[in-house]
Amino acid sequence: MTSPPPSPHPLPGRAPADGAPGREESGHEKPGRAEPGRAGPPGPEAPSRGGAADRGERTLWGAVRHSGGRAAAITLCSVAAALAALAEPAVLGRSLDLLLAGSAEAPRWVALCAALIAAEVALDALVALLTGTTNARSTAWLRHRALGRVLAASPHHAAARFAPGDLATRLTANATEAGTVPATAAGALATVLPPLGGLVALLLIDVWTAAAFLAGAPLLVLLLRAFARTSSDTVSRYQRVQSGMADRLVEALAGARTVAAAGTAAREQRRVLAALPQLAAEGRTMWLVYGRAVARSGVLMPLLVSVVLAVGGVRLAAGAMGVGDLVAASRYAALAAGVGSVAAALGGLVRGRAAARRTGELLALPAVPHGPEALPAGGTGALELRGVTVVRDGAAVLDGVDLRVPGGATVAVVGRSGAGKSLLAAVAGRLLDPDEGHVLLDGVRLDRVGPGELRREVGYAFSRPALFGTTVGAAIAFGADRAPADAVRSAARAAGADAFVVRLPDGYDTPLADAPLSGGELQRLGLARAFAHAGRLLVLDDAMSGLDTVTQRQVERALARDVRPGTRLVVAHRLSSAVRADLVVWLDGGRVRAVGPHRTLWRNPAYRAVFAAPEAPTGAEPAPADTAEAHPGTADAGTGTAEARTGTAEALKGSTDADTGPADVGTGAATARTGSAEAHAAEAAPTGTVEALKGTAEAGTGPADAGTDSAAARPARAEDTPAARTGGAAARTGTERA
C-alpha cells in the first residue's frame, strides 16, 4: 500500500453570530429549529440506496465529462509512465547481460535504460500536476452545480431537506472527495497495467516463475475485494456522523448569544461533541480496514517475490535462465504484486463514490420553474391568490386562501403567531410555490414570469436581513440589477438609514465588517435595499419590528412619498401598521377570516384580541398594546359615538398604566398636537409635552386625560361635539377610579 487514506476533514468554519451583518436569515416562519441545548432537528430523509447510488453515478459521470480533456491527458501520461516502468526491467536485464559479456552494445542499452528512467520520472511529475488541477476543477464544478441547484430551489424546500451544517459538509468535504474521482479514474488504467504487464512478462521470461506467482494471485484478489467492500460502508458512516456534528456546531455558533446568556456553554460543547466517540470509532474502523490491507499486502507481496526468486534461482542453476533474466523476473514479480497502488486507487474511488452520493442529493433538489411571460407594462401591482394551499408535515398551514389586493394599496396581514402570515408573504412574491392554487400579479401567474423580471418587480424586506457586499453602499445596491449611487442614497434616506451611515468612518464606502450595526440599524439597511429595488409589489415581512415608533412612522411616510408607487404587503405585528393600512387581511389558522379596513374589523372582539396584551387582568376586556393606537381616528370616534367612548373607557379601565398621570403626556403622538384627522391613527412618540397639554386643554380635557395616552382616541379639535366631551369626561372618571 503506497498511501494512507486522507485525514478526516475539519468541520465547517465559524459562522457569524446571530444578528451580525452577513448572517442570512429570511425572517420567514420556518420549520422549528431546536433551541441551543436540545437535540437538533432531524436531517433529511435517507433516500433509497438505489436512488442515491444512481444520483452519485450521474454526478460522477458529469464531473468526468467536465474534465474530459485533462482526464484524457492524465490517462495518456500515466499509461506512458506505466509502459516505461514495464520496459525498464527488460532493458536493465539486457544491459546487465551485455555488460557481463563485455559487448560493444552495452553502452547503448545502458543509455536506453537511463532514458526510460528519466521519462518515467518526468511523466509521473506531469501526471501529478494534471491530477492536482483536474481535482480542483472537478471540485469547483461540483460545488457550482450543487450550490446553484440549492439556490435555484425554493428556500423553504432546501431548508427543510438539509440542515445548515449538513449542507456545508456536502458542499465542502464531500465535494472535495467526489472531485478526485475523475483524475483517479483516469489513472486507474495505468495503475492496473504494471501488475498485469509484470505477470505477462514473467510468462515470457519463464513459465515456472509465472506459475509460482500465480499460485498466490487468488489471495491478492480476495484482499482487494474485502478492502473495497468494507471500506465503502465505513466511509459512508463516517461522512454521515461528520455531517451531524457539523450541523450541531453551526447551530450552536448561530445561537452564540443565547448560549452565553443562558450560561450553557459547557452543555453545548458536550452536545456538539456527543458524536465524537462514534466519529472516532468510524475513523478507527476506516484506518483498521486500511491497516489490515497494508499488513496483509506487506506480508503477501514479499512472500510472492521470494517464491519467484527461489524458483528463478533454481532455473538459473539449471541453465534455463540467465542473470539478466533473473533480475528482470524479480522486478516483474514486484510489479505484478503491486496491489498497493491498485488498492489506493480503489480506496479513492470508493470514498469519492460515497461522497458523490451525498453531493448528488443536492442536485436532486427541484429547481423553481419559470416561464417566458412578461408582466404588463404600467401595471399597478394588483395581487390575487386563488385557492392557495401550503402543506407542511401533512397539515395545511395555508388552507384555500382566496385574496384580491387592488393595485397600489397598502395591505396589512395580521394574525396570531402561527397563523401563516410569513408563509402568505413568501407565496405572494414566489419565494415559495403553493402546493395548490396560483398567485397572479397584474393578471399574470407568477410561475409563468421570467426570473429576471419577477425579481425586478417583486421586492422583499425581512425582519432579520442578510447583507451581501463589501461595503454598506454595496449592501444596499445588492439586487438583480445593481442600484445606482443616487438611488442608494435616496433609499437610505427613505429608510432612515442615511443619518447613521454618513457618520460611519467612510460613509457608504465603509466595509461591512467595520460597521458596528445595532439590530434596528441592520433592519433599516435591509429596508433601504428593498426601497432601492422596489417594484410594483413590495413585501415587508415584519421588516420594521426593530424600529422605534417614531422612526417607523417616518419610514412609513417616506415609503408612501419617496419610494416607487406600488402595492405594499405588510406582515404586521404592531397595531399601528394595521391602523395605517388601506386594508387588513386577518389570518386565523391558515385561513382568511376577514378582509377590510381596520376601523371595521376593530368592532370584532376576536380581532381586537389579536393585539391584546398577553397578560390582561382577569375579567377585563383585552387591552391593546398601544392605547393611543387602539381606536383609529374615524369620523365616528370624533363625534363621540357610543362605541368609541365605551372602547376607550374599557381600555383605560383595563390598562395597568391608568395611573401614570401627566408624566406620560410626552408619549402622545406628534400628529395629535396638530389636531389633524391623522391624529386619530398616530402612535405614541416622545415629543413636546407642553404642546400636548395645550392641545388637550383646547379639547376641554384635563391633564389626567393626557396621562392615559388616549389623545388619539379623543381628537383635540375645537369642533368637538358635546357627546365627544361627555365621552372624555367618562373616560377621565374611569381613569380616576382606576
Side-chain angles (χ1 to χ4, degrees):
M1 310 295 282
T2 58
S3 61
S7 59
H9 294 279
L11 294 176
R14 178 182 174 93
D18 52 322
R23 180 182 177 212
E24 184 173 1
E25 298 208 31
S26 66
H28 293 308
E29 296 172 355
K30 300 177 180 178
R33 299 288 295 165
E35 287 293 330
R38 298 183 182 177
E45 295 182 1
S48 64
R49 188 175 183 87
D54 292 342
R55 283 192 293 269
E57 297 298 336
R58 290 195 297 269
T59 301
L60 291 179
W61 278 114
V64 169
R65 288 193 298 269
H66 174 73
S67 302
R70 282 178 168 77
I74 290 174
T75 301
L76 291 176
C77 293
S78 58
V79 168
L83 293 176
L86 285 172
E88 284 175 20
V91 175
L92 179 62
R94 178 63 176 165
S95 300
L96 183 59
D97 286 339
L98 292 175
L99 286 173
L100 292 175
S103 172
E105 296 181 359
R108 187 169 54 190
W109 282 91
V110 170
L112 179 59
C113 185
L116 286 173
I117 294 174
E120 183 184 5
V121 171
L123 288 170
D124 284 341
L126 185 57
V127 168
L129 177 62
L130 288 172
T131 298
T133 57
T134 302
N135 289 345
R137 284 175 57 87
S138 299
T139 301
W141 181 83
L142 285 170
R143 286 176 177 164
H144 277 86
R145 285 285 306 277
L147 182 59
R149 181 54 64 92
V150 169
L151 296 178
S154 168
H156 294 74
H157 192 179
R161 283 286 309 276
F162 303 101
D166 180 39
L167 187 62
T169 303
R170 292 171 188 264
L171 288 172
T172 53
N174 297 154
T176 300
E177 290 279 8
T180 63
V181 171
T184 304
L189 178 60
T191 304
V192 175
L193 275 179
L196 292 179
L199 180 59
V200 172
L202 282 176
L203 288 170
L204 295 176
I205 292 173
D206 186 77
V207 176
W208 291 104
T209 56
F213 180 84
L214 287 174
L219 296 177
L220 288 176
V221 175
L222 291 176
L223 178 63
L224 289 175
R225 182 184 178 189
F227 175 77
R229 182 178 62 250
T230 309
S231 179
S232 177
D233 295 338
T234 304
V235 169
S236 297
R237 291 195 300 269
Y238 183 91
Q239 290 173 346
R240 286 196 297 269
V241 177
Q242 185 184 44
S243 292
M245 289 186 63
D247 181 52
R248 288 189 291 274
L249 175 61
V250 171
E251 183 183 25
L253 292 175
R257 292 191 302 180
T258 302
V259 172
T264 58
R267 187 191 307 168
E268 281 304 295
Q269 182 180 2
R270 291 193 298 270
R271 186 177 72 89
V272 171
L273 300 179
L276 192 58
Q278 184 181 359
L279 185 70
E282 296 297 344
R284 284 193 297 269
T285 302
M286 191 164 57
W287 281 100
L288 183 61
V289 170
Y290 189 84
R292 285 174 178 171
V294 170
R296 290 167 181 170
S297 62
V299 173
L300 183 59
M301 286 189 295
L303 181 61
L304 289 175
V305 173
S306 298
V307 170
V308 170
L309 285 175
V311 173
V314 173
R315 299 288 290 168
L316 177 64
M321 291 179 61
V323 174
D325 290 336
L326 180 60
V327 171
S330 65
R331 294 279 295 170
Y332 282 125
L335 289 176
V339 69
S341 58
V342 177
L346 185 60
L349 290 174
V350 167
R351 290 191 301 271
R353 188 166 179 262
R357 290 176 184 172
R358 294 176 54 79
T359 306
E361 289 178 10
L362 300 181
L363 298 176
L365 285 172
V368 176
H370 294 279
E373 296 187 23
L375 295 172
T380 58
L383 180 67
E384 184 177 359
L385 280 69
R386 296 179 180 174
V388 167
T389 298
V390 177
V391 179
R392 290 286 182 272
D393 297 327
V397 185
L398 289 179
D399 190 3
V401 173
D402 291 305
L403 177 65
R404 290 185 180 182
V405 177
T410 297
V411 179
V413 181
V414 304
R416 293 190 178 276
S417 178
K421 301 184 296 297
S422 288
L423 272 179
L424 179 65
V427 169
R430 212 189 173 211
L431 288 183
L432 172 69
D433 279 336
D435 296 289
E436 296 179 12
H438 303 288
V439 181
L440 291 81
L441 184 61
D442 285 329
V444 180
R445 280 175 44 176
L446 290 185
D447 57 347
R448 297 176 179 174
V449 179
E453 183 172 15
L454 177 63
R455 291 304 154 214
R456 283 191 297 269
E457 294 294 339
V458 179
Y460 271 92
F462 304 111
S463 60
R464 291 176 292 177
L467 299 183
F468 296 92
T470 55
T471 65
V472 174
I476 298 175
F478 179 83
D481 297 322
R482 185 180 178 86
D486 56 343
V488 167
R489 189 70 179 264
S490 176
R493 283 194 295 268
D498 182 70
F500 71 81
V501 171
V502 296
R503 291 196 299 268
L504 294 174
D506 297 314
Y508 286 86
D509 295 326
T510 302
L512 276 175
D514 300 335
L517 301 174
S518 67
E521 290 171 341
L522 181 67
Q523 201 168 73
R524 275 181 273 176
L525 289 181
L527 284 168
R529 180 177 60 193
F531 293 170
H533 302 278
R536 65 184 73 193
L537 174 62
L538 184 59
V539 182
L540 306 181
D541 189 356
D542 201 20
M544 292 184 279
S545 58
L547 308 184
D548 60 82
T549 53
V550 174
T551 304
Q552 178 180 344
R553 182 56 179 149
Q554 292 171 348
V555 171
E556 288 174 341
R557 286 174 175 171
L559 178 61
R561 183 176 60 247
D562 301 329
V563 180
R564 171 182 167 178
T567 302
R568 322 294 193 203
L569 191 67
V570 183
V571 173
H573 293 87
R574 288 183 177 179
L575 181 61
S576 58
S577 299
V579 170
R580 297 185 183 110
D582 300 318
L583 287 175
V584 175
V585 176
W586 177 14
L587 284 182
D588 188 8
R591 294 175 177 270
V592 176
R593 183 162 177 176
V595 178
H598 172 74
R599 66 169 65 94
T600 302
L601 297 179
W602 188 256
R603 300 189 181 106
N604 190 328
Y607 176 79
R608 295 200 300 272
V610 172
F611 303 97
E615 298 181 358
T618 304
E621 177 96 18
D626 295 320
T627 308
E629 297 167 342
H631 305 281
T634 64
D636 294 339
T639 57
T641 61
E643 182 179 290
R645 294 195 304 273
T646 303
T648 304
E650 290 178 353
L652 292 174
K653 181 178 180 181
S655 173
T656 58
D657 296 329
D659 58 347
T660 56
D664 293 336
V665 174
T667 62
T671 49
R673 298 194 306 271
T674 64
S676 64
E678 190 179 17
H680 304 281
E683 59 187 303
T687 53
T689 304
V690 176
E691 293 181 8
L693 287 172
K694 180 180 178 181
T696 304
E698 291 176 355
T701 57
D705 301 334
T708 63
D709 277 350
S710 58
R714 295 185 300 276
R717 296 189 302 176
E719 62 268 27
D720 276 350
T721 63
R725 289 194 293 272
T726 302
R732 291 198 302 276
T733 302
T735 303
E736 293 168 359
R737 291 177 180 174

